[in-house]
């Protein structure tokens, strides 16, 4: 994945189909259903990691205050950009 070689996906799926556990084979078969999107995602140098990390952080803060805090405390823990 770090080398951005989405074109190698077909070979990997074929290799997994012969040797690996059923759960991994099922995952590989699922990748085939949207093959074009998976290849594009593996080939692109762009990443949504920063946005996903922020979403995970906000969810963590929300869960940490569940049942103990009101919305005003939640807003102070998440600084908003102006």
């Amino acid at each position: 994945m770090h080398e951005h070689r989405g074109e190698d996906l077909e070979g990997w799926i074929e290799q997994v189909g012969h040797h690996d556990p059923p759960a991994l084979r099922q995952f590989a078969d699922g990748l085939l259903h949207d093959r074009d999107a998976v290849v594009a995602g593996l080939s692109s140098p762009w990443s949504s990691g920063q946005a996903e990390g922020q979403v995970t952080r906000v969810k963590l803060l929300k869960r940490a205050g569940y049942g103990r805090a009101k919305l005003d405390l939640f807003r102070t823990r998440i600084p908003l950009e102006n």
Side-chain angles (χ1 to χ4, degrees):
M1 287 179 28
H2 294 288
E3 297 171 6
H4 302 290
R5 295 186 331 210
E7 64 274 359
D8 294 344
L9 181 67
E10 296 289 332
W12 180 81
I13 290 175
E14 185 177 316
Q15 182 182 359
V16 166
H18 295 297
H19 303 289
D20 290 309
L24 191 56
R25 283 194 304 253
Q26 184 178 5
F27 172 72
D29 290 341
L31 293 177
L32 288 175
H33 290 294
D34 202 5
R35 179 179 357 153
D36 293 337
V38 174
V39 169
L42 290 173
S43 301
S44 175
W46 296 96
S47 171
S48 63
Q50 181 65 30
E52 294 296 330
Q54 294 298 327
V55 169
T56 302
R57 184 180 68 84
V58 169
K59 286 181 179 181
L60 177 70
L61 290 171
K62 178 182 170 188
R63 289 185 187 120
Y66 183 73
R68 292 178 278 182
K70 301 272 189 235
L71 191 56
D72 57 339
L73 179 60
F74 184 62
R75 284 185 181 142
T76 62
R77 294 203 58 195
I78 300 176
L80 300 175
E81 299 286 329
N82 289 333

Coordinates of all heavy atoms in Angstrom, one line a residue:
M1 N 0.8 -1.2 0.0 CA 0.0 0.0 0.0 C 0.9 1.3 0.0 O 0.5 2.2 -0.6 CB -0.9 0.0 1.2 CG -2.1 -1.0 1.1 SD -3.2 -1.2 2.4 CE -3.3 0.4 3.2
H2 N 2.0 1.2 0.7 CA 2.8 2.4 0.7 C 3.5 2.7 -0.6 O 3.9 3.8 -0.9 CB 3.9 2.2 1.8 CG 3.4 2.2 3.2 ND1 2.9 3.3 3.8 CD2 3.2 1.1 4.0 CE1 2.4 2.9 5.0 NE2 2.7 1.6 5.1
E3 N 3.6 1.7 -1.5 CA 4.2 1.9 -2.8 C 3.2 2.3 -3.9 O 3.6 2.5 -5.0 CB 4.9 0.6 -3.2 CG 6.0 0.3 -2.2 CD 6.6 -1.1 -2.5 OE1 6.2 -1.7 -3.5 OE2 7.4 -1.5 -1.7
H4 N 1.9 2.4 -3.5 CA 0.9 2.9 -4.4 C 0.8 2.1 -5.7 O 0.8 2.6 -6.8 CB 1.0 4.4 -4.8 CG 1.1 5.3 -3.6 ND1 -0.1 5.5 -2.8 CD2 2.1 5.9 -3.0 CE1 0.2 6.3 -1.8 NE2 1.5 6.6 -1.9
R5 N 0.7 0.7 -5.6 CA 0.7 -0.1 -6.7 C -0.7 -0.8 -6.8 O -0.8 -2.0 -6.5 CB 1.8 -1.2 -6.7 CG 3.2 -0.5 -6.8 CD 4.3 -1.5 -6.9 NE 4.0 -2.8 -6.3 CZ 4.9 -3.6 -5.7 NH1 6.1 -3.2 -5.8 NH2 4.5 -4.7 -5.1
G6 N -1.7 -0.1 -7.1 CA -3.1 -0.7 -7.1 C -3.2 -1.7 -8.2 O -4.1 -2.6 -8.1
E7 N -2.4 -1.7 -9.2 CA -2.4 -2.7 -10.3 C -2.1 -4.1 -9.8 O -2.4 -5.1 -10.5 CB -1.6 -2.3 -11.5 CG -0.1 -2.2 -11.2 CD 0.4 -0.9 -10.6 OE1 -0.4 0.0 -10.4 OE2 1.6 -0.8 -10.3
D8 N -1.4 -4.2 -8.7 CA -1.1 -5.5 -8.1 C -2.2 -6.2 -7.4 O -2.1 -7.3 -6.9 CB 0.1 -5.4 -7.2 CG 1.4 -5.0 -7.9 OD1 1.4 -5.1 -9.1 OD2 2.3 -4.5 -7.2
L9 N -3.4 -5.5 -7.3 CA -4.5 -6.0 -6.5 C -5.0 -7.4 -7.0 O -5.2 -8.3 -6.2 CB -5.6 -5.0 -6.5 CG -6.9 -5.5 -5.7 CD1 -6.6 -5.5 -4.2 CD2 -8.0 -4.5 -6.0
E10 N -5.1 -7.5 -8.3 CA -5.6 -8.8 -8.9 C -4.7 -10.0 -8.5 O -5.2 -11.0 -8.1 CB -5.6 -8.7 -10.4 CG -6.6 -7.7 -11.0 CD -8.0 -8.1 -10.8 OE1 -8.3 -9.3 -10.8 OE2 -8.9 -7.2 -10.7
G11 N -3.4 -9.8 -8.6 CA -2.5 -10.9 -8.2 C -2.6 -11.2 -6.7 O -2.5 -12.4 -6.3
W12 N -2.8 -10.2 -5.9 CA -2.9 -10.5 -4.4 C -4.2 -11.3 -4.2 O -4.2 -12.2 -3.4 CB -2.9 -9.2 -3.7 CG -3.1 -9.3 -2.2 CD1 -2.1 -9.7 -1.3 CD2 -4.3 -9.3 -1.5 NE1 -2.6 -9.8 0.0 CE2 -4.0 -9.5 -0.1 CE3 -5.6 -9.0 -1.8 CZ2 -4.9 -9.5 0.9 CZ3 -6.5 -9.0 -0.8 CH2 -6.2 -9.3 0.6
I13 N -5.3 -10.9 -4.8 CA -6.6 -11.5 -4.6 C -6.5 -13.0 -5.1 O -7.0 -13.9 -4.4 CB -7.7 -10.8 -5.3 CG1 -8.0 -9.5 -4.6 CG2 -9.0 -11.6 -5.4 CD1 -9.0 -8.6 -5.2
E14 N -5.8 -13.2 -6.2 CA -5.6 -14.6 -6.7 C -4.8 -15.4 -5.7 O -5.1 -16.6 -5.4 CB -5.0 -14.6 -8.0 CG -4.9 -15.9 -8.7 CD -4.3 -15.8 -10.1 OE1 -4.7 -14.9 -10.8 OE2 -3.4 -16.7 -10.4
Q15 N -3.7 -14.8 -5.2 CA -2.9 -15.5 -4.2 C -3.6 -15.9 -2.9 O -3.5 -17.0 -2.4 CB -1.7 -14.7 -3.9 CG -0.7 -15.3 -3.0 CD 0.5 -14.4 -2.6 OE1 0.6 -13.3 -3.1 NE2 1.4 -14.8 -1.8
V16 N -4.4 -14.9 -2.4 CA -5.2 -15.1 -1.2 C -6.3 -16.3 -1.4 O -6.5 -17.1 -0.5 CB -5.9 -13.8 -0.8 CG1 -7.0 -14.1 0.2 CG2 -4.9 -12.8 -0.3
G17 N -6.8 -16.3 -2.6 CA -7.8 -17.3 -2.9 C -7.3 -18.8 -2.8 O -8.1 -19.7 -2.6
H18 N -6.0 -19.0 -2.9 CA -5.5 -20.3 -2.9 C -5.0 -20.8 -1.6 O -5.1 -22.0 -1.3 CB -4.3 -20.4 -3.9 CG -4.7 -20.2 -5.3 ND1 -5.5 -21.0 -6.0 CD2 -4.3 -19.2 -6.2 CE1 -5.7 -20.6 -7.2 NE2 -5.0 -19.5 -7.4
H19 N -4.6 -19.9 -0.7 CA -3.9 -20.4 0.5 C -4.4 -19.9 1.9 O -4.3 -20.5 2.9 CB -2.4 -19.9 0.4 CG -1.7 -20.4 -0.8 ND1 -1.4 -21.8 -1.0 CD2 -1.3 -19.8 -1.9 CE1 -0.8 -21.9 -2.1 NE2 -0.7 -20.7 -2.7
D20 N -5.0 -18.7 1.9 CA -5.3 -18.1 3.2 C -6.6 -18.5 3.8 O -7.5 -19.1 3.2 CB -5.2 -16.5 3.0 CG -3.7 -16.1 2.8 OD1 -2.9 -16.5 3.5 OD2 -3.5 -15.4 1.8
P21 N -6.8 -18.1 5.1 CA -8.0 -18.5 5.8 C -9.3 -17.9 5.1 O -9.3 -16.9 4.4 CB -7.9 -17.9 7.2 CG -6.6 -17.1 7.1 CD -5.9 -17.3 5.9
P22 N -10.5 -18.5 5.4 CA -11.7 -18.2 4.7 C -12.1 -16.7 5.0 O -12.6 -16.1 4.0 CB -12.7 -19.1 5.4 CG -12.0 -20.2 5.9 CD -10.6 -19.7 6.2
A23 N -11.8 -16.1 6.1 CA -12.2 -14.7 6.4 C -11.4 -13.8 5.5 O -12.0 -12.8 5.0 CB -11.9 -14.4 7.8
L24 N -10.2 -14.1 5.2 CA -9.4 -13.2 4.3 C -9.8 -13.4 2.9 O -9.8 -12.4 2.1 CB -7.9 -13.6 4.5 CG -6.9 -12.6 3.8 CD1 -7.1 -11.2 4.3 CD2 -5.5 -13.0 4.1
R25 N -10.2 -14.6 2.5 CA -10.7 -14.9 1.2 C -12.0 -14.1 1.0 O -12.2 -13.5 -0.1 CB -10.9 -16.3 0.9 CG -9.6 -17.1 0.6 CD -9.9 -18.5 0.1 NE -10.8 -19.3 0.9 CZ -10.4 -20.3 1.7 NH1 -9.1 -20.7 1.6 NH2 -11.2 -20.9 2.4
Q26 N -12.8 -14.1 2.0 CA -14.1 -13.3 1.9 C -13.9 -11.8 1.7 O -14.5 -11.2 0.9 CB -15.0 -13.6 3.1 CG -16.3 -13.0 3.1 CD -17.1 -13.3 4.3 OE1 -16.7 -14.0 5.2 NE2 -18.4 -12.9 4.3
F27 N -12.9 -11.3 2.5 CA -12.5 -9.9 2.3 C -12.0 -9.6 0.9 O -12.4 -8.6 0.3 CB -11.4 -9.6 3.4 CG -10.9 -8.2 3.2 CD1 -11.6 -7.1 3.5 CD2 -9.6 -8.0 2.7 CE1 -11.1 -5.8 3.3 CE2 -9.0 -6.8 2.5 CZ -9.8 -5.7 2.8
A28 N -11.2 -10.5 0.4 CA -10.6 -10.3 -1.0 C -11.7 -10.3 -2.0 O -11.8 -9.5 -2.9 CB -9.6 -11.3 -1.3
D29 N -12.7 -11.2 -1.8 CA -13.8 -11.3 -2.8 C -14.7 -10.0 -2.7 O -15.2 -9.6 -3.7 CB -14.7 -12.5 -2.5 CG -14.0 -13.8 -2.8 OD1 -13.1 -13.8 -3.6 OD2 -14.4 -14.9 -2.3
G30 N -14.8 -9.5 -1.5 CA -15.5 -8.2 -1.3 C -14.9 -7.1 -2.1 O -15.5 -6.2 -2.6
L31 N -13.5 -7.1 -2.1 CA -12.8 -6.0 -2.8 C -13.1 -6.1 -4.3 O -13.1 -5.0 -5.0 CB -11.3 -6.2 -2.6 CG -10.8 -5.9 -1.2 CD1 -9.3 -6.2 -1.2 CD2 -11.1 -4.5 -0.8
L32 N -13.4 -7.2 -4.9 CA -13.7 -7.4 -6.3 C -15.0 -6.7 -6.7 O -15.2 -6.3 -7.8 CB -13.7 -8.8 -6.7 CG -12.4 -9.6 -6.7 CD1 -12.6 -11.0 -7.0 CD2 -11.5 -8.9 -7.8
H33 N -15.9 -6.5 -5.8 CA -17.2 -5.9 -6.1 C -17.1 -4.5 -6.5 O -17.9 -3.9 -7.2 CB -18.2 -6.1 -4.9 CG -18.7 -7.5 -4.7 ND1 -19.4 -8.1 -5.6 CD2 -18.4 -8.3 -3.7 CE1 -19.7 -9.3 -5.2 NE2 -19.1 -9.5 -4.0
D34 N -16.1 -3.8 -5.9 CA -15.8 -2.4 -6.3 C -14.4 -2.2 -6.6 O -13.7 -1.3 -6.1 CB -16.2 -1.5 -5.1 CG -16.5 -0.1 -5.5 OD1 -16.5 0.2 -6.8 OD2 -16.8 0.8 -4.7
R35 N -13.9 -3.1 -7.5 CA -12.5 -3.1 -7.9 C -11.9 -1.8 -8.4 O -10.8 -1.4 -8.0 CB -12.3 -4.2 -8.9 CG -10.9 -4.3 -9.4 CD -10.7 -5.4 -10.4 NE -11.9 -6.1 -10.7 CZ -12.2 -6.7 -11.8 NH1 -11.3 -6.7 -12.8 NH2 -13.3 -7.3 -12.0
D36 N -12.7 -1.1 -9.2 CA -12.1 0.2 -9.7 C -11.8 1.2 -8.6 O -10.8 1.9 -8.6 CB -13.1 0.8 -10.7 CG -13.2 -0.1 -12.0 OD1 -12.3 -0.8 -12.3 OD2 -14.3 0.0 -12.7
A37 N -12.7 1.3 -7.7 CA -12.5 2.2 -6.5 C -11.3 1.8 -5.7 O -10.6 2.6 -5.2 CB -13.8 2.4 -5.7
V38 N -11.2 0.5 -5.4 CA -10.1 0.0 -4.6 C -8.8 0.3 -5.3 O -7.8 0.7 -4.7 CB -10.3 -1.5 -4.3 CG1 -9.1 -2.0 -3.5 CG2 -11.6 -1.7 -3.5
V39 N -8.7 0.0 -6.6 CA -7.4 0.2 -7.3 C -7.1 1.7 -7.3 O -6.0 2.1 -7.1 CB -7.6 -0.3 -8.8 CG1 -6.4 0.1 -9.6 CG2 -7.6 -1.8 -8.7
A40 N -8.1 2.6 -7.5 CA -7.9 4.0 -7.5 C -7.4 4.5 -6.1 O -6.5 5.3 -6.0 CB -9.1 4.8 -7.9
G41 N -8.0 3.9 -5.1 CA -7.6 4.3 -3.7 C -6.2 3.8 -3.4 O -5.4 4.5 -2.7
L42 N -5.8 2.7 -3.9 CA -4.4 2.2 -3.7 C -3.4 2.9 -4.5 O -2.2 2.9 -4.2 CB -4.4 0.7 -3.9 CG -5.1 -0.2 -2.9 CD1 -5.1 -1.7 -3.4 CD2 -4.5 -0.1 -1.5
S43 N -3.8 3.4 -5.6 CA -2.9 4.1 -6.6 C -2.7 5.6 -6.3 O -1.7 6.1 -6.7 CB -3.4 3.9 -8.0 OG -3.5 2.5 -8.3
S44 N -3.6 6.2 -5.6 CA -3.6 7.6 -5.4 C -2.6 8.0 -4.3 O -2.5 7.3 -3.2 CB -5.0 8.1 -5.0 OG -5.0 9.5 -4.7
P45 N -1.9 9.1 -4.5 CA -1.0 9.6 -3.4 C -1.8 10.3 -2.3 O -1.2 10.6 -1.2 CB 0.0 10.5 -4.1 CG -0.8 11.0 -5.3 CD -1.7 9.9 -5.7
W46 N -3.0 10.6 -2.5 CA -3.8 11.4 -1.6 C -4.4 10.5 -0.5 O -4.6 9.3 -0.7 CB -5.0 12.1 -2.3 CG -4.5 13.1 -3.3 CD1 -4.4 12.9 -4.6 CD2 -4.1 14.4 -3.0 NE1 -3.9 14.0 -5.2 CE2 -3.7 15.0 -4.2 CE3 -4.1 15.2 -1.9 CZ2 -3.3 16.3 -4.3 CZ3 -3.6 16.5 -2.0 CH2 -3.2 17.0 -3.2
S47 N -4.6 11.0 0.7 CA -5.1 10.3 1.8 C -6.1 11.1 2.6 O -6.0 12.3 2.7 CB -3.9 9.9 2.8 OG -4.4 9.4 4.0
S48 N -7.1 10.4 3.2 CA -8.1 11.0 4.0 C -7.8 10.8 5.5 O -8.6 11.0 6.3 CB -9.5 10.5 3.7 OG -9.6 9.1 4.0
G49 N -6.5 10.4 5.8 CA -6.1 10.0 7.1 C -6.3 11.2 8.1 O -6.8 10.9 9.3
Q50 N -6.0 12.4 7.8 CA -6.1 13.5 8.7 C -7.6 13.7 9.1 O -7.9 13.9 10.2 CB -5.5 14.8 8.0 CG -5.6 16.0 8.9 CD -4.7 15.9 10.2 OE1 -3.7 15.2 10.2 NE2 -5.1 16.5 11.2
A51 N -8.5 13.7 8.1 CA -9.9 13.9 8.4 C -10.4 12.8 9.2 O -11.2 13.0 10.2 CB -10.7 14.0 7.1
E52 N -10.1 11.6 8.9 CA -10.6 10.4 9.7 C -10.0 10.5 11.1 O -10.7 10.1 12.1 CB -10.1 9.1 9.0 CG -10.7 8.9 7.7 CD -12.2 8.7 7.8 OE1 -12.7 8.2 8.8 OE2 -12.9 9.1 6.8
G53 N -8.8 10.9 11.3 CA -8.3 11.1 12.6 C -9.0 12.1 13.5 O -9.2 11.9 14.7
Q54 N -9.4 13.2 12.9 CA -10.2 14.2 13.6 C -11.6 13.7 14.0 O -12.1 13.9 15.1 CB -10.3 15.5 12.7 CG -9.0 16.2 12.5 CD -8.4 16.7 13.8 OE1 -9.1 17.1 14.7 NE2 -7.1 16.7 13.8
V55 N -12.2 12.9 13.1 CA -13.5 12.3 13.4 C -13.4 11.4 14.6 O -14.2 11.4 15.5 CB -14.1 11.6 12.2 CG1 -15.3 10.8 12.5 CG2 -14.5 12.6 11.1
T56 N -12.3 10.5 14.5 CA -12.1 9.6 15.6 C -11.9 10.3 17.0 O -12.4 9.9 18.0 CB -10.9 8.7 15.3 OG1 -11.2 8.0 14.1 CG2 -10.6 7.7 16.4
R57 N -11.1 11.4 16.9 CA -10.9 12.2 18.1 C -12.1 12.8 18.7 O -12.4 12.7 19.9 CB -9.9 13.3 17.8 CG -9.4 14.1 19.0 CD -8.5 15.2 18.7 NE -9.1 16.3 17.8 CZ -9.7 17.3 18.4 NH1 -9.9 17.4 19.7 NH2 -10.3 18.2 17.6
V58 N -13.0 13.3 17.8 CA -14.2 13.9 18.3 C -15.1 12.8 18.9 O -15.8 13.0 20.0 CB -15.0 14.7 17.2 CG1 -16.4 15.0 17.5 CG2 -14.2 15.9 16.8
K59 N -15.2 11.7 18.3 CA -16.0 10.6 18.8 C -15.5 10.1 20.2 O -16.3 9.8 21.1 CB -16.0 9.4 17.9 CG -16.9 9.6 16.7 CD -16.8 8.4 15.8 CE -17.7 8.6 14.6 NZ -17.6 7.3 13.7
L60 N -14.2 10.1 20.4 CA -13.6 9.7 21.6 C -14.0 10.7 22.7 O -14.3 10.4 23.8 CB -12.1 9.6 21.5 CG -11.3 9.3 22.8 CD1 -11.6 7.9 23.2 CD2 -9.8 9.5 22.6
L61 N -13.9 12.0 22.4 CA -14.2 13.0 23.4 C -15.7 13.0 23.7 O -16.1 13.1 24.9 CB -13.9 14.4 22.8 CG -12.4 14.8 22.7 CD1 -12.3 16.1 22.0 CD2 -11.8 14.9 24.1
K62 N -16.5 12.7 22.8 CA -18.0 12.6 23.0 C -18.3 11.4 23.9 O -19.0 11.5 24.9 CB -18.7 12.4 21.7 CG -20.2 12.2 21.8 CD -20.8 11.9 20.5 CE -22.2 11.5 20.6 NZ -22.8 11.1 19.4
R63 N -17.6 10.3 23.7 CA -17.8 9.1 24.5 C -17.3 9.3 25.9 O -17.9 8.8 26.9 CB -17.2 7.9 23.9 CG -18.0 7.4 22.6 CD -17.4 6.1 22.1 NE -18.0 5.8 20.8 CZ -17.4 5.7 19.7 NH1 -16.0 5.9 19.6 NH2 -18.0 5.5 18.5
A64 N -16.2 10.0 26.0 CA -15.6 10.2 27.4 C -16.5 11.1 28.3 O -16.5 10.9 29.5 CB -14.3 10.9 27.2
G65 N -17.3 11.9 27.7 CA -18.2 12.8 28.4 C -19.6 12.3 28.5 O -20.5 13.0 29.0
Y66 N -19.9 11.2 27.9 CA -21.3 10.7 27.9 C -21.9 10.5 29.2 O -21.3 9.9 30.1 CB -21.3 9.3 27.1 CG -22.7 8.8 27.0 CD1 -23.6 9.4 26.0 CD2 -23.2 7.7 27.7 CE1 -24.9 8.9 25.9 CE2 -24.5 7.3 27.6 CZ -25.3 7.9 26.6 OH -26.6 7.4 26.5
G67 N -23.0 11.1 29.5 CA -23.7 11.0 30.7 C -23.2 11.9 31.8 O -23.8 12.0 32.9
R68 N -22.1 12.6 31.6 CA -21.5 13.5 32.6 C -21.4 14.9 32.2 O -21.1 15.8 33.1 CB -20.1 13.0 32.9 CG -20.0 11.6 33.6 CD -18.6 11.2 33.8 NE -18.2 10.7 32.5 CZ -17.0 10.2 32.3 NH1 -16.1 10.2 33.2 NH2 -16.7 9.7 31.1
A69 N -21.6 15.2 31.0 CA -21.4 16.6 30.6 C -22.5 17.1 29.7 O -23.1 16.3 29.0 CB -20.1 16.7 29.9
K70 N -22.7 18.4 29.6 CA -23.6 19.0 28.7 C -22.9 19.5 27.5 O -21.7 19.4 27.4 CB -24.3 20.2 29.4 CG -25.0 19.8 30.7 CD -26.4 19.4 30.4 CE -27.2 19.2 31.7 NZ -27.8 18.0 31.8
L71 N -23.6 20.0 26.5 CA -23.1 20.4 25.3 C -22.1 21.5 25.4 O -21.1 21.6 24.7 CB -24.2 20.9 24.3 CG -23.8 21.1 22.9 CD1 -23.2 19.9 22.3 CD2 -25.0 21.5 22.1
D72 N -22.2 22.4 26.4 CA -21.3 23.5 26.6 C -19.9 23.0 27.0 O -18.9 23.5 26.5 CB -21.8 24.5 27.7 CG -22.1 23.9 29.0 OD1 -22.3 22.6 29.1 OD2 -22.1 24.6 30.0
L73 N -19.8 22.0 27.8 CA -18.5 21.4 28.1 C -17.9 20.7 26.9 O -16.7 20.8 26.6 CB -18.6 20.4 29.3 CG -17.3 19.7 29.7 CD1 -16.3 20.8 30.1 CD2 -17.5 18.7 30.8
F74 N -18.7 20.0 26.1 CA -18.2 19.4 24.9 C -17.6 20.4 23.9 O -16.6 20.2 23.3 CB -19.4 18.6 24.3 CG -19.0 17.8 23.0 CD1 -18.1 16.8 23.1 CD2 -19.6 18.1 21.8 CE1 -17.8 16.1 22.0 CE2 -19.3 17.4 20.7 CZ -18.4 16.3 20.8
R75 N -18.3 21.6 23.8 CA -17.8 22.6 22.9 C -16.4 23.2 23.4 O -15.6 23.6 22.6 CB -18.8 23.8 22.9 CG -20.0 23.4 22.0 CD -20.9 24.6 21.9 NE -22.1 24.2 21.0 CZ -23.3 24.6 21.2 NH1 -23.6 25.5 22.2 NH2 -24.2 24.3 20.4
T76 N -16.2 23.2 24.7 CA -14.9 23.7 25.2 C -13.8 22.7 24.9 O -12.6 23.1 24.8 CB -15.0 24.1 26.7 OG1 -15.3 22.9 27.4 CG2 -16.0 25.2 26.9
R77 N -14.1 21.5 24.8 CA -13.1 20.4 24.6 C -12.7 20.3 23.1 O -11.7 19.8 22.8 CB -13.6 19.1 25.1 CG -13.7 19.1 26.7 CD -13.6 17.8 27.3 NE -12.4 17.1 27.0 CZ -12.2 15.8 27.3 NH1 -13.2 15.1 27.7 NH2 -11.1 15.3 27.0
I78 N -13.6 20.8 22.2 CA -13.3 20.8 20.8 C -13.1 22.2 20.3 O -14.1 22.9 20.1 CB -14.4 20.1 20.0 CG1 -14.6 18.7 20.5 CG2 -14.1 20.1 18.5 CD1 -15.8 17.9 19.9
P79 N -11.9 22.7 20.2 CA -11.7 24.0 19.7 C -12.2 24.2 18.2 O -11.8 23.3 17.4 CB -10.2 24.2 19.8 CG -9.6 22.9 19.9 CD -10.7 22.0 20.4
L80 N -13.0 25.2 18.0 CA -13.5 25.4 16.6 C -12.6 26.4 15.9 O -12.2 27.4 16.5 CB -14.9 25.8 16.6 CG -15.9 24.9 17.3 CD1 -17.3 25.5 17.4 CD2 -16.0 23.6 16.5
E81 N -12.3 26.2 14.7 CA -11.6 27.1 13.8 C -12.5 28.2 13.3 O -13.6 27.9 12.9 CB -10.9 26.4 12.7 CG -10.0 25.3 13.0 CD -8.7 25.8 13.6 OE1 -8.3 26.9 13.1 OE2 -8.1 25.1 14.4
N82 N -12.1 29.4 13.4 CA -12.9 30.6 12.9 C -12.4 31.0 11.5 O -11.3 30.9 11.1 CB -12.8 31.8 13.8 CG -13.6 31.5 15.1 OD1 -14.5 30.7 15.1 ND2 -13.2 32.1 16.1

